Coordinates of all heavy atoms in Angstrom, one line a residue:
Chain B
D1368 N 0.5 3.2 -7.9 CA 1.9 3.8 -7.8 C 2.3 4.0 -6.3 O 3.5 4.2 -6.0 CB 1.9 5.2 -8.5 CG 2.0 5.0 -10.0 OD1 2.2 3.9 -10.4 OD2 1.8 6.0 -10.6
E1369 N 1.3 3.9 -5.4 CA 1.6 4.2 -4.1 C 2.5 3.1 -3.5 O 2.5 1.9 -3.9 CB 0.4 4.2 -3.2 CG -0.5 5.4 -3.5 CD -1.3 5.2 -4.8 OE1 -1.3 4.0 -5.3 OE2 -2.0 6.1 -5.2
D1370 N 3.2 3.5 -2.5 CA 4.1 2.5 -1.8 C 3.3 1.8 -0.6 O 3.8 0.9 -0.1 CB 5.3 3.2 -1.2 CG 6.3 3.5 -2.4 OD1 6.3 2.7 -3.3 OD2 7.1 4.4 -2.3
H1371 N 2.2 2.4 -0.3 CA 1.5 1.8 0.8 C 0.0 1.8 0.4 O -0.6 2.8 0.2 CB 1.6 2.7 2.1 CG 3.1 3.0 2.4 ND1 3.9 2.1 3.0 CD2 3.8 4.2 2.2 CE1 5.1 2.7 3.1 NE2 5.0 3.9 2.7
I1372 N -0.5 0.6 0.4 CA -1.9 0.4 0.0 C -2.5 -0.5 1.1 O -1.9 -1.5 1.6 CB -2.0 -0.4 -1.3 CG1 -1.3 0.5 -2.4 CG2 -3.4 -0.7 -1.7 CD1 -1.1 -0.3 -3.7
E1373 N -3.7 -0.2 1.4 CA -4.4 -1.0 2.4 C -5.7 -1.5 1.7 O -6.4 -0.8 1.0 CB -4.9 -0.1 3.6 CG -5.5 -0.9 4.7 CD -5.9 0.0 5.8 OE1 -6.9 0.5 5.8 OE2 -5.0 0.1 6.7
I1374 N -5.8 -2.8 1.8 CA -7.1 -3.4 1.2 C -7.8 -4.1 2.4 O -7.2 -4.5 3.4 CB -6.8 -4.4 0.1 CG1 -6.0 -5.6 0.6 CG2 -6.1 -3.7 -1.1 CD1 -5.9 -6.7 -0.4
E1375 N -9.1 -4.2 2.2 CA -9.9 -4.7 3.2 C -11.0 -5.5 2.6 O -11.6 -5.0 1.6 CB -10.4 -3.6 4.1 CG -11.1 -4.0 5.3 CD -11.6 -2.8 6.1 OE1 -12.6 -2.2 5.8 OE2 -10.8 -2.3 7.0
F1376 N -11.4 -6.6 3.1 CA -12.5 -7.3 2.5 C -13.0 -8.3 3.5 O -12.4 -8.6 4.5 CB -12.0 -8.1 1.3 CG -10.9 -9.0 1.5 CD1 -11.1 -10.4 1.8 CD2 -9.6 -8.6 1.4 CE1 -10.0 -11.2 2.0 CE2 -8.5 -9.4 1.6 CZ -8.7 -10.7 1.9
D1377 N -14.2 -8.7 3.3 CA -14.9 -9.7 4.1 C -14.8 -11.0 3.3 O -15.0 -11.1 2.1 CB -16.3 -9.4 4.4 CG -16.5 -8.1 5.2 OD1 -15.6 -7.8 5.9 OD2 -17.5 -7.5 5.0
M1378 N -14.5 -12.1 4.0 CA -14.3 -13.3 3.3 C -14.8 -14.5 4.2 O -14.7 -14.4 5.4 CB -12.9 -13.6 2.9 CG -12.8 -14.8 1.9 SD -11.1 -15.4 1.8 CE -11.0 -16.4 3.3
R1379 N -15.4 -15.4 3.5 CA -15.7 -16.6 4.2 C -15.4 -17.8 3.3 O -15.6 -17.7 2.1 CB -17.1 -16.7 4.8 CG -18.2 -16.8 3.7 CD -19.5 -17.0 4.3 NE -20.6 -17.1 3.4 CZ -21.9 -17.3 3.7 NH1 -22.2 -17.4 4.9 NH2 -22.8 -17.3 2.7
V1380 N -15.0 -18.9 3.9 CA -14.7 -20.1 3.1 C -16.0 -20.9 2.9 O -16.7 -21.1 3.8 CB -13.7 -20.9 3.9 CG1 -13.4 -22.2 3.2 CG2 -12.4 -20.1 4.0
K1381 N -16.1 -21.2 1.7 CA -17.3 -22.0 1.4 C -17.0 -23.5 1.4 O -17.7 -24.3 1.9 CB -17.8 -21.7 0.0 CG -18.3 -20.3 -0.2 CD -19.5 -20.0 0.7 CE -20.7 -20.7 0.2 NZ -21.9 -20.3 1.0
E1382 N -15.8 -23.8 0.8 CA -15.5 -25.3 0.8 C -14.0 -25.4 0.8 O -13.2 -24.5 0.3 CB -16.0 -26.0 -0.4 CG -17.5 -26.2 -0.4 CD -17.9 -27.2 -1.5 OE1 -17.3 -28.2 -1.6 OE2 -18.8 -26.8 -2.3
F1383 N -13.5 -26.5 1.3 CA -12.1 -26.8 1.3 C -11.9 -28.0 0.3 O -12.7 -28.9 0.3 CB -11.5 -27.2 2.6 CG -11.5 -26.0 3.6 CD1 -12.5 -25.9 4.6 CD2 -10.6 -25.1 3.5 CE1 -12.5 -24.8 5.4 CE2 -10.5 -24.0 4.4 CZ -11.5 -23.9 5.4
Y1384 N -10.9 -27.9 -0.4 CA -10.6 -29.0 -1.3 C -9.2 -29.5 -0.9 O -8.4 -28.8 -0.3 CB -10.6 -28.6 -2.7 CG -11.8 -27.9 -3.1 CD1 -11.8 -26.5 -3.3 CD2 -13.0 -28.5 -3.2 CE1 -12.9 -25.8 -3.7 CE2 -14.2 -27.9 -3.6 CZ -14.1 -26.5 -3.8 OH -15.2 -25.8 -4.1
R1385 N -8.9 -30.7 -1.4 CA -7.6 -31.2 -1.2 C -7.0 -31.4 -2.7 O -7.4 -32.4 -3.3 CB -7.5 -32.5 -0.5 CG -6.1 -33.1 -0.3 CD -6.2 -34.3 0.5 NE -6.5 -34.0 1.9 CZ -5.6 -33.7 2.8 NH1 -4.4 -33.6 2.5 NH2 -6.0 -33.4 4.1
P1386 N -6.2 -30.5 -3.1 CA -5.7 -30.7 -4.5 C -5.0 -32.0 -4.6 O -4.4 -32.6 -3.6 CB -4.7 -29.5 -4.6 CG -5.2 -28.5 -3.7 CD -5.7 -29.3 -2.5
R1387 N -4.9 -32.5 -5.8 CA -4.3 -33.7 -6.1 C -2.9 -33.8 -5.6 O -2.1 -32.9 -5.7 CB -4.3 -33.9 -7.6 CG -3.6 -35.1 -8.2 CD -4.0 -35.2 -9.7 NE -3.7 -33.9 -10.4 CZ -3.0 -33.9 -11.5 NH1 -2.4 -35.0 -11.9 NH2 -2.8 -32.8 -12.1

Side-chain angles (χ1 to χ4, degrees):
Chain B
D1368 281 350
E1369 293 79 4
D1370 285 330
H1371 310 284
I1372 298 166
E1373 184 178 89
I1374 65 173
E1375 189 177 86
F1376 55 92
D1377 299 331
M1378 192 195 80
R1379 69 173 175 178
V1380 173
K1381 299 295 292 184
E1382 287 190 52
F1383 293 101
Y1384 310 107
R1385 182 179 290 276
R1387 174 169 56 125

